[in-house]
Amino acid sequence: MKLYDWKLAPNPRRVKMFLAEKHIPVELEEVGEPGTFNLKKDFVARFDPYALTPTLELDDGNCLGEAMAICRYLEELHPEPRLMGKDALGKATVEMWERRAYEGAMFAISELLRNTSPGFVDRGLPGTAETIGQVPELVERGKGRLARFSRSADKQLAKNRFLAGSAFSVADITAYCALEFLSRAMKMTIPSELPNLARWFAEVGERESAKSTAP
Amino acid sequence: MKLYDWKLAPNPRRVKMFLAEKHIPVELEEVGEPGTFNLKKDFVARFDPYALTPTLELDDGNCLGEAMAICRYLEELHPEPRLMGKDALGKATVEMWERRAYEGAMFAISELLRNTSPGFVDRGLPGTAETIGQVPELVERGKGRLARFSRSADKQLAKNRFLAGSAFSVADITAYCALEFLSRAMKMTIPSELPNLARWFAEVGERESAKSTAP
């Protein structure tokens, strides 16, 4: 089992944190081109239009893409500790908050970064060698997405220790990896009017899985 | 159990097809404002910023949003026929293709529609009463997303009866509801150079769950 990784990027970190929480060892192969914001050409050529990190290569050569699909596979094979919910309502609640965290935070920071950064000219969307122009208007839209998610997450975290309730889950992993990238690489901090989100962010940051996967 | 529905929209149809495949009866409440592209004000006020269809209200008053979270809940309570995969690799493969279908088709048609249609002025993103401007450049980007997904789906369907392999799954439901909306409401057809996708589209359209949920 080998995980294609891009150590600069927040997306593969979701799977690395998931693996760390479950204490599953994995071989990592870095496919970022050093000193650039590009992935190595042979990786892109092999997986285009889904040349995305993380990608998990199984021992039989089968490859799985999409962070949550990889986590689902690992959760089935290594159920404890459960990171995708226990019963029907628990699993659904994790999935709901994970999807919201993905679209409201992970996807939003991708819109912010890819549509302005000089390193991403002509690569407005990830995963493909095709030319995709930047759309600077998406920066405001990404900020709006992020603000709405952050407000609703703060409200949820006023009543719950973690996003999907009392147990740490993959929803926290997705939100944390996005917001940590935002504060470290993009210098945007959690607004002070969202104290519950800030409390949660500090607490997740103290987990061994967060520390051991920090870039 | 009550499903908040918007019969014009492709997203709640995903859950209705899922319910139909499993023969689970459900009460539907239409929250679209007749004759407009708006949701009813009391629904938006209650669920903002996640005033989205589908939303499932459970008998204890708890509400679940996000189509796939609702499907996950139903799959746990009514496992057969399995629509989210059987074993670890099967579940992961369904999840991978469902996520690709969501971003490459469902999300793409939302970009196409919401950023040009006069019915969606100031509502560039779903789910919130906030004013979100249209970004016409997203039409081209949405078309690009869709084209890439369609090409890769066609390749996958050259070797497999359904998107995630030999069994019909929720990945097919997401892709079908998006592409059917595209061809019916937006008059865009599957390109003739993608015969496997066209074969699959016709076959899924013949299922009872597709027919009984057609708007």
Side-chain angles (χ1 to χ4, degrees), chain A residues 90-107:
Chain A
K91 286 178 184 180
T93 304
V94 170
E95 177 124 12
M96 175 172 75
W97 279 100
E98 199 287 323
R99 296 243 173 194
R100 289 176 176 175
Y102 177 72
E103 218 162 298
M106 191 61 80
F107 190 86

Side-chain angles (χ1 to χ4, degrees), chain A residues 144-181:
Chain A
R145 268 189 209 282
L146 190 62
R148 275 189 303 286
F149 169 73
S150 298
R151 282 197 304 271
S152 64
D154 186 73
K155 211 169 140 189
Q156 171 75 355
L157 291 164
K159 298 166 296 182
N160 299 281
R161 184 170 170 202
F162 296 109
L163 274 176
S166 58
F168 182 77
S169 79
V170 76
D172 299 297
I173 290 178
T174 293
Y176 179 79
C177 290
L179 296 180
E180 194 279 335
F181 184 84

Side-chain angles (χ1 to χ4, degrees), chain B residues 163-189:
Chain B
L163 274 175
S166 57
F168 182 78
S169 79
V170 75
D172 300 296
I173 290 179
T174 293
Y176 178 79
C177 290
L179 296 180
E180 195 278 336
F181 184 84
L182 195 78
S183 70
R184 179 176 43 79
M186 302 174 74
K187 314 291 179 208
M188 290 171 67
T189 50

Side-chain angles (χ1 to χ4, degrees), chain A residues 101-145:
Chain A
Y102 177 72
E103 218 162 298
M106 191 61 80
F107 190 86
I109 64 169
S110 170
E111 283 184 329
L112 288 178
L113 185 70
R114 286 187 170 264
N115 290 290
T116 49
S117 165
F120 288 103
V121 167
D122 289 340
R123 295 193 297 131
L125 288 178
T128 175
E130 226 176 291
T131 298
I132 316 267
Q134 293 180 319
V135 179
E137 289 84 349
L138 286 185
V139 172
E140 284 314 303
R141 187 174 280 195
K143 285 183 186 165
R145 268 189 209 282

Side-chain angles (χ1 to χ4, degrees), chain B residues 8-40:
Chain B
L8 289 178
N11 226 348
R13 191 180 179 191
R14 293 154 79 191
V15 172
K16 288 184 285 181
M17 267 186 83
F18 192 92
L19 288 160
E21 289 280 341
K22 288 182 181 276
H23 301 287
I24 304 170
V26 72
E27 179 193 349
L28 296 179
E29 180 173 327
E30 172 70 22
V31 293
E33 191 68 58
T36 74
F37 292 113
N38 297 309
L39 293 176
K40 290 179 179 166

Side-chain angles (χ1 to χ4, degrees), chain B residues 62-75:
Chain B
N62 265 317
C63 287
L64 283 174
E66 303 297 326
M68 279 309 102
I70 296 171
C71 291
R72 184 81 53 196
Y73 178 76
L74 297 167
E75 180 91 349

